[in-house]
Amino acid sequence: MYIEVGGTRYSADEIRAGAWMAAPGLSANARAALDFTQAWLRGDASFAVRTSGSTGDPKPIHLTRQQMEASARATGAALGLASGQVALVALPAHYIAGRMMLVRGCVLDLEMLLVEPAGDPFADLAEGAHIDFAAFVPLQLQTLLDVALVASSDSCFPEDTARAFRYRRLLDGMRAILVGGGPVGATLETQIAQLAAPVYHTYGMTETATHVALRRMNGPDATGRFAPLPGVAIGADARGCLHVTGPMTGGAMIQTNDLVEIHRDGSFAWLGRWDNVINSGGVKVQVEQVEAAAAQVAADQPELGLARRRFFVAGLPDERLGQEVVMLVEGPPLDDDQQSQLLWALGQELPRYHAPRRLLYLPAFADTTTGKIDRRQSMASLHQA
């Protein structure tokens, strides 16, 4: 294995020896990645990783070397990764998703290209670069596809078309693409369906050393269900919330607050967070299902102005209903006609009491350190406004 950073390759022996430490111009992320890899190669037995804070306050999690190695091997087996293949490491090295890309590289003997965890992970790649395997957050993959799919549009700028063909070649040439760390909207899922390379939506968390299940998003095997990785056992508690056990959990059962529907073939459909339920007029409304419907409306009717806006659904106190369903939208308010048409469209798409009754706006949402919407802080900002 080796890691290439900014055109310089570091072998395993060079990383162990700290040959990169005096290199000028390395970013903080690159140094963190090489520092972690050095610790892995020298055989450290455990590693502390902070959670992202998307479902609670960030906290340190301690994972053993055995858990992380088991996760890497299970991913390699599920995706058919092999020694000598090239992996793009485009996620922050301080968090589990980026660190596990490095672990996979070490354990599976991959050649790693390390780039900055930016919105466009291809921006600084060499012209003739080839990639076999990569993991992205939804925003990164959306950015890449927005460029790559220009090749099939009526762009009048030759340089845009050339860049589009290059990005499309890189994406379609991969053996596997992972996307995780957040929900995949309807627009992105439609774009993913146009790719030749297999794309998988991941389910997992820091405590399980990233994903424990994968969902194929394109091709003839596309599905709405997640299939557990080899060696992972699943079940549900009395609430219907998933629990997982496997080598990447150290054999311990980890109970989640994720509502799921488990199928007889061992796969499961993710329904949403148990703690993201709004009780409106005695009806239990699952936030994620409303957001998925809103994303579909936004994709199908871009004239309503929501297609490229961030939004989320929440419950606010209401004297009559207990809680009313509202949608918070980032940025300036939509015009009156758009608002009316959007609320009507959502009412047609969703059952009674599930559709948002109002649209509320914030200039900018609060984000977690990993770039996800921090719902609690954003709601607090709304109340302070």
Side-chain angles (χ1 to χ4, degrees), residues 24-345:
L26 286 180
S27 69
N29 182 72
R31 290 189 179 279
L34 290 163
D35 185 61
F36 171 80
T37 306
Q38 184 186 48
W40 181 270
L41 291 173
R42 72 176 174 234
D44 283 17
S46 66
F47 301 86
V49 190
R50 292 189 69 82
T51 60
S52 66
S54 57
T55 58
D57 292 329
K59 58 183 179 181
I61 298 292
H62 292 273
L63 296 172
T64 67
R65 184 183 188 85
Q66 289 75 18
Q67 286 176 266
M68 298 170 84
E69 183 170 345
S71 175
R73 293 198 183 282
T75 297
L79 301 181
L81 301 179
S83 174
Q85 291 177 348
V86 180
L88 181 70
V89 183
L91 299 171
H94 289 91
Y95 293 96
I96 190 63
R99 288 191 173 186
M100 281 307 302
M101 284 298 292
L102 297 166
V103 173
R104 291 171 198 136
C106 293
V107 171
L108 303 175
D109 190 29
L110 305 178
E111 300 174 358
M112 291 179 273
L113 295 179
L114 180 68
V115 297
E116 286 301 291
D120 182 350
F122 289 176
D124 296 325
L125 289 181
E127 188 65 31
H130 167 77
I131 302 164
D132 292 298
F133 169 54
F136 303 116
V137 296
L139 179 61
Q140 288 177 315
L141 189 53
Q142 180 80 70
T143 300
L144 296 176
L145 287 170
D146 283 347
V147 174
L149 297 180
V150 168
S152 58
S153 72
D154 296 324
S155 172
C156 59
F157 299 103
E159 62 272 19
D160 289 346
T161 302
R163 184 166 169 245
F165 276 115
R166 177 169 171 261
Y167 278 34
R168 186 66 182 265
R169 175 185 61 79
L170 282 164
L171 290 167
D172 279 341
M174 293 193 205
R175 296 172 182 269
I177 299 171
L178 300 180
V179 57
V184 176
T187 299
L188 178 54
E189 188 131 10
T190 299
Q191 291 179 316
I192 286 170
Q194 300 179 54
L195 287 179
V199 181
Y200 299 88
H201 192 193
T202 66
Y203 174 87
M205 61 209 77
T206 304
E207 293 88 337
T208 59
T210 65
H211 52 268
V212 291
L214 299 172
R215 174 175 75 89
R216 180 69 184 266
M217 301 186 69
N218 61 345
D221 296 326
T223 176
R225 302 178 189 174
F226 290 90
L229 290 180
V232 174
I234 64 170
D237 66 6
R239 302 170 300 166
C241 291
L242 184 74
H243 57 72
V244 299
T245 309
M248 61 286 291
T249 72
M253 187 185 79
I254 293 183
Q255 179 65 56
T256 76
N257 284 326
D258 290 321
L259 291 164
V260 297
E261 181 180 77
I262 298 177
H263 294 266
R264 298 175 73 175
D265 63 359
S267 65
F268 66 91
W270 183 79
L271 305 178
R273 294 276 301 176
W274 179 78
D275 42 2
N276 275 353
V277 174
I278 300 169
N279 192 325
S280 184
V283 176
K284 291 184 178 180
V285 179
Q286 190 67 51
V287 161
E288 290 85 357
Q289 293 178 359
V290 179
E291 291 174 346
Q296 190 64 61
V297 168
D300 292 343
Q301 303 181 58
E303 69 276 8
L304 298 184
L306 199 64
R308 294 293 180 178
R309 303 278 288 273
R310 293 204 300 174
F311 61 86
F312 68 91
V313 170
L316 289 179
D318 182 88
E319 289 186 7
R320 185 172 66 88
L321 298 172
Q323 287 182 295
E324 69 166 338
V325 182
V326 300
M327 178 185 288
L328 281 80
V329 180
E330 186 176 47
L334 303 175
D335 64 41
D336 290 345
D337 285 345
Q338 286 177 318
Q339 289 191 105
S340 298
Q341 292 176 42
L342 178 58
L343 290 173
W344 181 85

Side-chain angles (χ1 to χ4, degrees), residues 316 326 328 360-362 376-385:
L316 289 179
V326 300
L328 281 80
L360 303 173
Y361 300 91
L362 282 172
R376 291 183 301 165
Q377 287 297 322
S378 296
M379 290 295 289
S381 299
L382 176 70
H383 296 316
Q384 294 166 6

